[in-house]
Amino acid sequence: MLSRVLTLAAGLIGLATWGGCDGCSGGGFDAGGPDVGSAAGGFSLRWTVVDQTSSQQVNCDQLDPNATVFVQAMRDGTGAVESFACRNLQGTSVMPLAPGTYSFRYELHVAGNAIATASGPTGVAIAAGQQIELAPITFQVDATGSLELMLRAGSSGNCQVGGAGITGFALSLQHAGGPGDTGCAPVVFTLSGGGTYNANDCSAPAGTRCIAETETVTVASLPSGIYQIHVRGRKNGTVDCWINDDVLRVPPQSQRLRQTLNLALLSETPGCQ
């Protein structure tokens, strides 16, 4: 369950500078600390992650499948850092801690960056062979992001005769994060060339005008996580000839995903040649 362990000598390096363990997937290691054997103690910790705006609980995978919780245990100028997979919502230390009085600090890391911190208790006495259960903590995060997409059907333009010849588009967006994170995501796309597109029906999306390859298609704000977009470029207003079904990961912390979606031609479909 524990991802990776790093023991730090006197003059601890701050957690904010430690990014090398994000995404650890198993197997702890001793970084050269003393072998305290049966005299060692340890700790366990539980946590939750909530969106700072809605106060709703957030699945760690919505932030990043490799999101990592770091716990720093400090004692008399020395100590240890343990890392746990955020998605487990709990962790138990494996690095032996010498008996003594410790203070704790916590960080939640995504893609090597600390996106939330929490101060833990001080003056925690850990005796030989004792496992301390620390008080549960809550990380407050910004669990929203945005999308900025461009649609490209071939190299000669989306709407031009002699190019793709698309007369209109249909768009829809679906949650694709697995159990508990599925279903249609009703969003409003803003078209940089003018107007908006209300993608509120994933089963029978309405059509809109042709969207040029130079335009951006944006969603200003939506929950972070994994989505699948469905793009259909139509000829004669009704025939789906150009498609894209890419999977997109919307980042947290109000960051924007910018991506060009390349459409494939359904050349065998009548009317699409």
Side-chain angles (χ1 to χ4, degrees):
M1 181 180 304
L2 171 65
S3 297
R4 190 175 295 177
V5 183
L6 177 65
T7 299
L8 304 180
L12 286 171
I13 300 174
L15 280 177
T17 65
W18 176 256
C21 263
D22 280 2
C24 301
S25 58
F29 65 86
D30 187 329
D35 184 8
V36 295
S38 61
F43 64 86
S44 61
L45 176 70
R46 296 181 180 275
W47 58 86
T48 55
V49 182
V50 301
D51 179 64
Q52 63 191 24
T53 301
S54 67
S55 298
Q56 297 297 309
Q57 188 165 337
V58 175
N59 185 318
C60 289
D61 284 353
Q62 288 180 242
L63 306 175
D64 190 299
N66 296 318
T68 307
V69 171
F70 285 84
V71 180
Q72 184 178 27
M74 297 165 286
R75 166 183 173 268
D76 297 334
T78 187
V81 172
E82 301 248 14
S83 66
F84 307 98
C86 180
R87 63 173 61 173
N88 293 333
L89 300 179
Q90 63 89 30
T92 299
S93 64
V94 296
M95 188 67 199
L97 296 179
T101 302
Y102 288 83
S103 59
F104 291 86
R105 176 176 170 78
Y106 315 119
E107 287 192 355
L108 173 59
H109 282 221
V110 168
N113 299 310
I115 67 168
T117 63
S119 295
T122 60
V124 178
I126 297 181
Q130 184 181 25
Q131 287 286 327
I132 295 293
E133 184 174 347
L134 299 172
I137 62 168
T138 298
F139 290 109
Q140 299 273 345
V141 301
D142 175 4
T144 61
S146 61
L147 275 177
E148 182 179 295
L149 307 173
M150 299 182 75
L151 311 179
R152 181 165 297 165
S155 58
S156 301
N158 295 346
C159 310
Q160 296 86 336
V161 176
I166 294 172
T167 57
F169 276 93
L171 309 173
S172 62
L173 190 67
Q174 292 183 298
H175 294 278
D181 186 32
T182 60
C184 189
V187 296
V188 177
F189 291 96
T190 299
L191 313 180
S192 65
T196 59
Y197 177 81
N198 192 344
N200 60 358
D201 187 345
C202 291
S203 60
T208 187
R209 63 174 175 79
C210 184
I211 301 170
E213 68 283 356
T214 56
E215 288 187 66
T216 57
V217 179
T218 62
V219 180
S221 179
L222 71 166
S224 59
I226 300 176
Y227 295 83
Q228 185 172 29
I229 192 166
H230 301 287
V231 182
R232 299 294 181 265
R234 294 172 171 172
K235 286 190 174 183
N236 302 318
T238 58
V239 183
D240 292 341
C241 292
W242 294 85
I243 70 168
N244 178 284
D245 294 305
D246 279 358
V247 173
L248 310 173
R249 173 170 287 281
V250 175
Q253 298 298 101
S254 296
Q255 297 183 62
R256 174 164 290 191
L257 173 65
R258 292 180 172 89
Q259 190 165 322
T260 297
L261 304 182
N262 294 305
L263 280 64
L265 174 63
L266 300 178
S267 57
E268 301 301 316
T269 299
C272 292
Q273 295 81 1

